Amino acid sequence: MTAPALTLTKLEHASVVLASDRARILVDPGNLGTPNDPGAFDAILLTHHHPDHAAPEFLRDALTAGVDVYGPADAGDELGLATADRGGAHWHPVEPGATFSVGDVPVVVAGSIHAEIHPDVPGPQNRAFLVGDGVFVTGDEHPLPPAPASVLVTPMNAPWLAAPALIRYVRQVRPRLVLGVHEGFLNPAGLRVADRLLGMLTSEGADEARRLEVGEEISL
């Protein structure tokens, strides 16, 4: 079965919407801005529980509205998602290797642990998602996709991210397109620096690398 064509709409910071004709999937609605209606989606994919990726009240409202939420088990514990899922059918803790579908869109789970942010404190679980035909949303680590990824949605800036690590990662994955996210903490000067790093990736294995403005939509 051929995966459907997808559009991607950039929201605040690390959040995007992936949509087909039959499904709308929201990724990482964090505290830098969330959609007005938590029930307007068929599913939410949560990479990890840090506040810039996971707004607890929004996620709990989505579960109450009957939206399926997929993410790592420790995020559910940290955010109280199992308690919020009163019917018990909509919070889905997922492990790497799991597969599921949202409408006509197949999803494969990957990932492991959040990139190191402290030498003595392990990070939370991180889940990456291969959505449809090769759209790989990484969260806050550099996991290898479980199948070829033509579009890589990954941080372009973060406290844990160094330019050489991002370059090496793109050399491994070799996507057609890198979409840089996780830019919500940057001022205009910082955005210019991060945009230059994205531009470098076109000589490191990516055919194209870019940042979308909030609200911008592209076809994948």
Side-chain angles (χ1 to χ4, degrees):
M1 178 177 173
T2 302
L6 297 177
T7 62
L8 180 147
T9 304
K10 175 72 169 66
L11 303 184
E12 297 287 348
H13 192 52
S15 187
V16 300
V17 175
L18 293 164
S20 71
D21 289 339
R22 292 171 48 195
R24 283 173 51 80
I25 302 169
L26 174 64
V27 182
D28 278 359
N31 63 1
L32 275 71
T34 57
N36 292 327
D37 182 3
F41 302 93
D42 298 292
I44 296 173
L45 308 183
L46 186 64
T47 63
H48 62 287
H49 65 64
H50 285 163
D52 57 321
H53 293 255
E57 184 176 353
F58 180 89
L59 291 165
R60 290 193 287 265
D61 287 348
L63 286 166
T64 299
V67 177
D68 289 313
V69 180
Y70 299 83
D74 66 347
D77 296 338
E78 183 74 18
L79 302 171
L81 300 184
T83 302
D85 184 15
R86 294 170 189 154
H90 298 294
W91 163 237
H92 305 277
V94 289
E95 296 293 331
T99 61
F100 57 92
S101 293
V102 181
D104 57 345
V105 181
V107 181
V108 183
V109 182
S112 178
I113 299 294
H114 191 291
E116 185 181 43
I117 53 178
H118 189 284
D120 303 321
V121 180
Q125 297 170 359
N126 185 85
R127 296 293 173 261
F129 299 95
L130 186 67
V131 182
D133 188 16
V135 181
F136 194 47
V137 184
T138 69
D140 283 9
E141 65 164 319
H142 287 157
L144 291 179
S150 59
V151 179
L152 186 63
V153 184
T154 199
M156 61 188 289
N157 174 265
W160 52 267
L161 179 62
L166 180 57
I167 290 168
R168 291 189 188 98
Y169 184 47
V170 170
R171 286 176 176 176
Q172 285 183 295
V173 177
R174 302 191 69 82
R176 170 181 60 82
L177 171 64
V178 177
L179 291 175
V181 297
H182 211 275
E183 82 297 357
F185 300 131
L186 294 175
N187 63 19
L191 280 174
R192 288 193 293 271
V193 173
D195 284 341
R196 284 199 293 272
L197 172 58
L198 274 182
M200 292 168 55
L201 299 178
T202 57
S203 60
E204 301 293 347
D207 295 336
E208 182 182 2
R210 59 180 297 199
R211 169 175 60 90
L212 302 180
E213 299 293 341
V214 173
E216 186 175 353
E217 177 183 307
I218 62 170
S219 298
L220 302 175

